[in-house]
Amino acid sequence: MSWITEYVRPKIRGLLRREVPDNLWTNCESCNQMVLTKELHKNQNVCPHCGHHMKALVADRLSWTFDNGDFTRIELPSAPVDPLGFRDQKKYTDRLKDARSKSHVDESLIVAHGTIGGHSAVVAVMAFEFMAGTMGAAFGERFVAAARLAVLQKSPLVIFTASGGARMQEGAISLMQMPRTTIAVQMLKEAGLPYIVVLTNPTTGGVTASFAMLGDVQIGEPNALIGFAGPRVIQDTVREKLPEGFQRSEYLLDHGMLDMVVNRKEMRETLGRVIGLLTRASADVTAPPPVATPEPAASAPA
């Protein structure tokens, strides 16, 4: 009797009182099915029930993109903090501190280099977890640095976009990053290097109106929201019902704004294949034509 009361009963009580961690399950925002978080992460944050592509953290995106998950992050230049001394409900500097603490990244763009499908590549990933991936002065500095690194290494630049647009706390300075990033893209084109854009959910605002639509190849993840203004704003403006799937990847593919829509689990293989084709074509274009060597003149008969 003592064995039951002293050993078995406490064990049963411990099992009954054990608390389930809050992050054990994840609810799919598309089909509302519950998915084990661990299994979801193994599936690259793609719902196994409906195939919905959930948001991805920067570290995961880099790991999924590079060969064997091996990459080297680069140190990126800083920019003036709070150039306008902006304050709404709290100071802009306090918002930045909170965002860095919660997201574990220091800005909305992270850059790394490594190989994809055996090809050298520079990859920039927008961090939606940092202030909704908004674009400010620091973002512009980092984008230019990524383009310069690609030119230095003679490698293609791949960028994964995920953003709510310009960062309102930086006002016109944020909008100035649109032409700045466009010039950086032109640097790549003048160097004859591929620029590949992967648009993920959501990609909106000034990001869509600048570098996100300038890729040599435009790839979208399934059902990603891509546009300048949101569909609700557009519908309220034009006062007409929008087509089904308006501003989603598949709609843009049908209307010629995307080159392909690729499942996340096939993205690395697709990028490797595209980079291989583009770098080979670039090498063929830039290679000097063969110089014909004259044949030695035949000697006159004696």
Side-chain angles (χ1 to χ4, degrees):
M1 193 71 179
S2 61
W3 177 77
I4 295 176
T5 57
E6 293 178 8
Y7 182 79
V8 177
R9 190 175 293 172
K11 284 287 184 182
I12 294 174
R13 286 175 179 170
L15 290 172
L16 294 175
R17 292 176 181 175
R18 185 174 296 171
E19 294 182 0
V20 177
D22 294 335
N23 61 349
L24 183 62
W25 296 87
T26 299
N27 186 42
C28 175
E29 55 199 32
S30 178
C31 66
N32 290 322
Q33 291 284 337
M34 298 295 290
V35 186
L36 273 170
T37 303
K38 188 176 181 180
E39 295 300 320
L40 182 64
H41 187 263
K42 286 182 180 178
N43 206 40
Q44 298 189 5
N45 283 15
V46 177
C47 177
H49 301 289
C50 67
H52 175 66
H53 284 50
M54 303 183 192
K55 293 182 179 66
L57 299 177
V58 167
D60 292 332
R61 184 78 71 177
L62 291 172
S63 178
W64 299 335
T65 303
F66 287 106
D67 294 341
N68 302 317
D70 294 332
F71 57 89
T72 303
R73 284 178 53 171
I74 67 168
E75 290 188 14
L76 295 165
S78 58
V81 178
D82 196 11
L84 304 180
F86 191 92
R87 179 177 185 135
D88 44 54
Q89 294 177 342
K90 63 167 68 173
K91 292 181 180 179
Y92 178 38
T93 51
D94 292 338
R95 289 193 181 277
L96 290 173
K97 289 177 183 176
D98 291 345
R100 286 165 184 154
S101 175
K102 293 176 182 177
S103 65
H104 305 292
V105 293
D106 56 352
E107 249 301 333
S108 57
L109 187 71
I110 304 299
V111 182
H113 61 95
T115 60
I116 304 175
H119 304 284
S120 174
V122 177
V123 176
V125 179
M126 298 189 70
F128 193 81
E129 62 266 33
F130 186 94
M131 297 187 72
T134 45
M135 179 174 59
F139 179 93
E141 288 281 354
R142 290 168 176 238
F143 190 92
V144 172
R148 285 175 175 164
L149 177 64
V151 172
L152 183 65
Q153 294 188 350
K154 297 182 180 179
S155 300
L157 175 61
V158 179
I159 183 165
F160 289 84
T161 63
S163 177
R167 190 173 298 172
M168 71 170 199
Q169 290 87 350
E170 297 189 22
I173 295 175
S174 176
L175 298 178
M176 288 166 61
Q177 308 314 309
M178 296 170 63
R180 194 175 187 195
T181 54
T182 302
I183 293 171
V185 173
Q186 187 61 32
M187 288 169 46
L188 294 166
K189 295 185 182 296
E190 290 176 357
L193 297 170
Y195 173 56
I196 303 169
V197 182
V198 181
L199 300 109
T200 74
N201 183 50
T203 299
T204 59
V207 170
T208 308
S210 55
F211 64 89
M213 285 296 171
L214 297 176
D216 298 308
V217 177
Q218 300 282 124
I219 303 173
E221 284 192 337
N223 202 39
L225 174 65
I226 304 166
F228 182 69
R232 179 178 56 81
V233 174
I234 295 174
Q235 185 162 302
D236 290 346
T237 302
V238 301
R239 301 185 184 281
E240 292 184 12
K241 184 175 177 58
L242 299 176
E244 186 70 25
F246 181 72
Q247 289 187 324
R248 296 290 174 174
S249 299
E250 292 75 12
Y251 183 91
L252 298 183
L253 178 66
D254 292 340
H255 289 77
M257 294 185 71
L258 294 181
D259 296 302
M260 61 185 85
V261 176
V262 178
N263 189 290
R264 186 176 293 166
K265 296 171 72 175
E266 300 171 358
M267 189 65 70
R268 181 192 297 171
E269 180 184 349
T270 301
L271 287 173
R273 185 169 64 251
V274 169
I275 290 172
L277 291 171
L278 292 179
T279 52
R280 193 177 303 120
S282 177
D284 292 342
V285 169
T286 57
V291 178
T293 55
E295 295 182 2
S299 56

